[in-house]
């Protein structure tokens, strides 16, 4: 499958990449049935296409390498929150990526995956003193979110020298995309220093002049629903501020720009669009100086690296009708696709039906609800979706769930975390490798205080 990965990595043929991805998925579903990974006793399974993830990583690194001046330092730091699984982080590290972390837990995951401190970036709007102290002691890069955090860093840096690169996050206030909750560059976003607020720009320049150890600037102006030109506008504002600070300092004080991530993902088909090459092209048009080699670069992509390469596979347990609507009751719901269930208009997912043998299901299309196992009426992966009529024992496949879905389980109804397997396809066989074991039922009461049941009596 090296040819498949290359087709995706080059970005030269999105159609070929989509076709190869779909072929690998069909083979994996059938193999999961044949190898007993999904059956009556184990009705829920999550899979990661390792060739697809590696191809995405290669597409990202290749697009920037082609555009940047030779020798430009660049760190592509994967946003751990998108897929907080140690084997995923380790695989991406093997592909040349670092980690962007936003909590002590994510930092621990990155370190467990073997990431060197200089390949980790810490972002969070609510870092404690202890978290900052640990990061500075390790040498992890830190992006300060606000003025009060910068004052904490003043005290910490004065107390103990650090090798950590330190920067400040700005909010360019360039506006919202189509999903308000994910738009990080609005006028009132909780993230960063609001660049267009009265006096903010002047304060930022002075803050850098007063702190020679501030050497980075950070923004994250994109996410799902934000168009590429709007993302680029935020990066352009970041670049302009760096130029202003360096001019005022009379030296190259800011040496690295962290431009964040947030490349949108296409959830309507197998095509991986927009591509990293298109993103870089947009940036080159809007901010040509970004690629001159004057600044090192950091990126923080998450969803776009793994979303298209994950799938949930569930058996249909029961079927029924209500009010003339067909309903398929499955084991995949809010615990695996939380955003889709709570905000279906913003996060629609495809449903791909398969037979009990793992072959694509065909037949007349019937409007059906694809329901999950949780005990509330809104636990639906799809409503009135036109599909071949499902029956007990059939399989539903939910693609594009490799980020912000089953990788970060939501514990509603104390539903156990399902197993996650990576898969690779050779010319003769599909190979599965366990990335995260299924959660044992006895661990659920243990995590819920079973060791001290009388604690509140």
């Amino acid at each position: 499958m090296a040819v498949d990965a290359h087709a995706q990595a080059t970005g030269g043929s999105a159609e070929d990449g989509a076709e190869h991805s779909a072929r690998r998925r069909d083979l994996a579903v059938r193999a999961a049935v044949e190898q007993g990974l999904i059956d009556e006793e184990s009705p829920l399974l999550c899979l990661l296409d390792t060739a697809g993830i590696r191809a995405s990583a290669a597409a990202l690194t290749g697009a920037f390498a082609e555009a940047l001046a030779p020798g430009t330092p660049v760190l592509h730091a994967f946003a751990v929150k998108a897929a907080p699984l140690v084997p995923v982080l380790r695989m991406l590290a093997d592909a040349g990526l670092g980690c962007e972390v936003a909590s002590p837990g994510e930092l621990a995951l990155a370190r467990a995956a073997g990431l060197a401190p200089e390949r980790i970036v810490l972002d969070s709007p609510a870092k404690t003193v202890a978290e900052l102290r640990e990061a500075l002691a390790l040498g992890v890069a830190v992006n300060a979110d606000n003025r009060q955090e910068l004052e904490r860093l003043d005290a910490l840096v004065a107390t103990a020298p650090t090798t950590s690169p330190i920067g400040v996050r700005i909010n360019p206030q360039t506006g919202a995309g189509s999903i308000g909750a994910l738009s990080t560059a609005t006028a009132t976003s909780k993230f960063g220093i609001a660049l267009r607020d009265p006096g903010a720009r002047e304060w930022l320049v002075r803050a850098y002049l007063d702190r020679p150890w501030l050497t980075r600037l950070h923004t994250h102006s994109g996410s799902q629903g934000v168009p590429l030109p709007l993302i680029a506008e935020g990066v352009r504002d970041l670049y302009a501020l760096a130029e202003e600070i360096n001019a005022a300092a009379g030296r190259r004080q800011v040496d690295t720009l962290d431009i964040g991530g947030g490349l949108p993902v296409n959830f309507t088909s197998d095509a991986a669009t927009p591509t990293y090459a298109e993103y870089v092209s947009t940036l080159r048009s809007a901010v040509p100086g970004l690629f001159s080699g004057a600044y090192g670069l950091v990126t923080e992509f998450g969803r776009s690296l793994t979303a298209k390469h994950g799938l949930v596979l569930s058996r249909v347990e029961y079927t029924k009708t209500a009010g003339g609507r067909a309903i398929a009751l499955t084991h995949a719901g809010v615990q695996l696709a939380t955003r889709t269930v709570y905000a279906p208009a913003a996060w629609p997912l495809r449903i791909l039906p398969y037979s009990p043998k793992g072959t694509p299901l065909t037949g007349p299309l019937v409007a059906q609800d694809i329901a999950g196992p949780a005990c509330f009426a809104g636990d639906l992966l799809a409503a009135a979706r036109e599909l071949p009529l499902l029956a007990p024992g059939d399989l539903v496949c939910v693609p594009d769930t490799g980020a912000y879905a089953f990788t970060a389980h939501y514990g509603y109804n104390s539903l156990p975390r399902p197993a996650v397997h990576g898969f690779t396809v050779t010319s003769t066989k599909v190979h599965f490798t366990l990335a995260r074991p299924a959660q044992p039922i006895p661990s659920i009461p243990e995590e819920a205080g079973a060791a001290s049941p009388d604690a509140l009596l």
Side-chain angles (χ1 to χ4, degrees):
M1 298 306 291
V3 174
D4 301 352
H6 177 72
Q8 289 188 13
T10 59
S13 176
E15 293 178 358
D16 285 349
E19 182 180 343
H20 289 308
S21 176
R23 176 176 176 271
R24 289 198 302 272
R25 179 181 61 233
D26 285 348
L27 291 171
V29 171
R30 183 167 181 172
V33 173
E34 293 174 346
Q35 297 182 36
L37 293 183
I38 187 163
D39 55 26
E40 290 184 6
E41 299 301 318
S42 301
L44 182 61
L45 179 65
C46 301
L47 298 177
L48 290 168
D49 179 357
T50 58
I53 294 174
R54 285 187 176 274
S56 286
L60 168 60
T61 57
F64 275 86
E66 184 176 344
L68 285 167
T72 302
V74 58
L75 172 64
H76 297 292
F78 175 68
V80 171
K81 56 186 170 289
L85 296 174
V86 170
V88 171
L89 307 185
R90 187 62 174 265
M91 179 173 60
L92 288 171
D94 185 64
L97 274 61
C99 282
E100 183 267 339
V101 302
S103 73
E106 290 184 357
L107 176 57
L109 290 174
R111 297 187 69 193
L115 273 292
E118 61 268 21
R119 300 194 64 77
I120 300 175
V121 180
L122 174 63
D123 295 317
S124 166
K127 307 180 197 72
T128 66
V129 171
E131 291 170 37
L132 291 169
R133 185 180 292 114
E134 179 187 19
L136 296 179
L138 289 171
V140 167
V142 175
N143 288 318
D145 177 82
N146 54 70
R147 301 187 187 199
Q148 293 168 1
E149 184 179 342
L150 197 54
E151 292 170 358
R152 288 184 176 181
L153 286 167
D154 284 336
L156 291 169
V157 169
T159 303
T162 179
T163 60
S164 293
I166 303 174
V168 175
R169 178 171 183 168
I170 67 159
N171 168 17
Q173 296 176 294
T174 46
S178 62
I179 305 176
L182 292 189
S183 296
T184 57
T186 61
T188 57
S189 170
K190 73 177 187 179
F191 294 106
I193 303 293
L195 185 60
R196 302 185 188 190
D197 278 10
R201 193 180 194 95
E202 294 77 9
W203 179 88
L204 275 164
V205 173
R206 174 48 56 188
Y208 273 76
L209 297 181
D210 291 344
R211 298 169 175 85
W213 42 267
L214 282 177
T215 60
R216 291 187 171 187
L217 270 173
H218 171 49
T219 193
H220 179 85
S221 59
S223 199
Q224 191 68 21
V226 181
L228 297 187
L230 193 58
I231 298 175
E233 185 179 344
V235 177
R236 184 188 63 199
D237 289 353
L238 184 80
Y239 178 86
L241 179 60
E243 292 282 277
E244 183 176 344
I245 291 170
N246 286 346
R251 64 187 181 90
R252 187 170 170 265
Q253 177 173 340
V254 176
D255 60 23
T256 301
L257 300 180
D258 184 337
I259 62 174
L263 187 68
V265 167
N266 161 39
F267 288 100
T268 63
S269 75
D270 287 320
T273 56
T275 66
Y276 291 114
E278 291 167 341
Y279 173 75
V280 168
S281 177
T282 302
L283 285 181
R284 292 182 76 174
S285 296
V287 203
L290 188 69
F291 297 90
S292 67
Y295 296 95
L297 289 184
V298 177
T299 70
E300 300 175 354
F301 294 100
R303 179 183 297 108
S304 58
L305 283 162
T306 61
K308 301 295 292 182
H309 312 301
L311 61 94
V312 173
L313 193 60
S314 173
R315 282 172 56 91
V316 175
E317 195 67 39
Y318 301 107
T319 56
K320 62 168 71 172
T321 60
R325 174 75 57 79
I327 302 170
L329 297 166
T330 79
H331 297 274
V334 70
Q335 84 279 29
L336 305 181
T338 311
R339 291 179 173 184
T340 295
V341 169
Y342 286 128
W347 298 99
L349 286 171
R350 293 179 290 153
I351 303 294
L352 307 177
Y354 290 80
S355 75
K357 293 184 178 181
T359 57
L361 195 64
T362 60
L365 301 183
V366 177
Q368 299 165 78
D369 288 355
I370 308 302
C375 286
F376 72 100
D379 186 25
L380 300 174
L381 294 183
R385 189 67 59 86
E386 297 277 342
L387 299 167
L389 188 62
L390 293 163
D394 285 337
L395 303 174
V396 293
C397 173
V398 191
D400 307 332
T401 48
Y404 299 105
F406 64 78
T407 55
H409 183 88
Y410 172 44
Y412 195 97
N413 276 153
S414 296
L415 291 165
R417 293 184 293 272
V420 177
H421 292 259
F423 71 87
T424 56
V425 180
T426 68
S427 57
T428 59
K429 192 175 181 180
V430 178
H431 300 269
F432 295 100
T433 304
L434 185 64
R436 182 186 72 191
Q439 183 180 21
I441 295 299
S443 73
I444 296 176
E446 289 173 8
E447 293 178 1
S452 52
D454 297 333
L456 303 181
L457 295 181

